[in-house]
Amino acid sequence: MKPSEILIKPILTEKANAQQEKLRRYAFKVAKKSNKLEIKKAIETFYGVTVTSVNTVVAPAKNKTRYTKAGFIQGRKPGYKKAYVTVAEGEEIDLYANI
C-alpha cells in the first residue's frame, strides 16, 4: 500500500493536541487493513521523522437513532482504525503546514 492510502487524515482533538505537546504522540486515522510496520514506514516517508512506537486502536461501528417529526431515523456510523504514533525526542510533525 502507498503511504497516501495508509494515512487517511490526522485526528485533531483536544486530547490529541495535549498528547502532542506532552508526549510527542500524534493520532491518525488509518486504513483498516494496514499494520504497525506499514504505518511506521508511511509516517517516516511522508513527514520525514523518526518513529519510536506505534499503537493502534480499532473503533467499532455504532448504531445511531434520532427522533424527528417524521418518526425515528436509524443509521450507522462506520468503524475506523486509529494509530497513535510517538516520534523521537526533539522531533515533531507540523500538521498545520498544509492548510
Side-chain angles (χ1 to χ4, degrees):
M1 294 174 79
K2 298 177 188 174
S4 59
E5 294 174 353
I6 294 171
L7 300 175
I8 297 172
K9 66 178 184 177
I11 298 174
L12 303 173
T13 60
E14 290 183 23
K15 181 179 178 181
N17 287 337
Q19 288 185 349
Q20 288 174 20
E21 295 169 3
K22 292 181 183 176
L23 305 172
R24 299 177 326 277
R25 185 176 296 152
Y26 297 86
F28 291 91
K29 189 182 270 192
V30 296
K32 270 197 164 185
K33 293 184 178 182
S34 60
N35 60 29
K36 291 182 180 184
L37 298 175
E38 291 174 338
I39 295 168
K40 179 179 179 178
K41 187 176 177 185
I43 295 287
E44 288 178 344
T45 58
F46 205 73
Y47 292 105
V49 295
T50 307
V51 175
T52 57
S53 70
V54 177
N55 298 62
T56 58
V57 178
V58 177
K62 294 182 180 179
N63 292 323
K64 293 291 181 180
T65 306
R66 192 171 67 207
Y67 182 72
T68 62
K69 288 181 183 179
F72 283 105
I73 297 176
Q74 293 183 335
R76 188 167 174 84
K77 287 183 74 172
Y80 59 95
K81 188 173 193 176
K82 287 192 276 188
Y84 292 104
V85 178
T86 306
V87 297
E89 184 77 36
E91 294 187 355
E92 64 179 30
I93 298 173
D94 189 12
L95 298 175
Y96 300 104
N98 298 335
I99 296 177

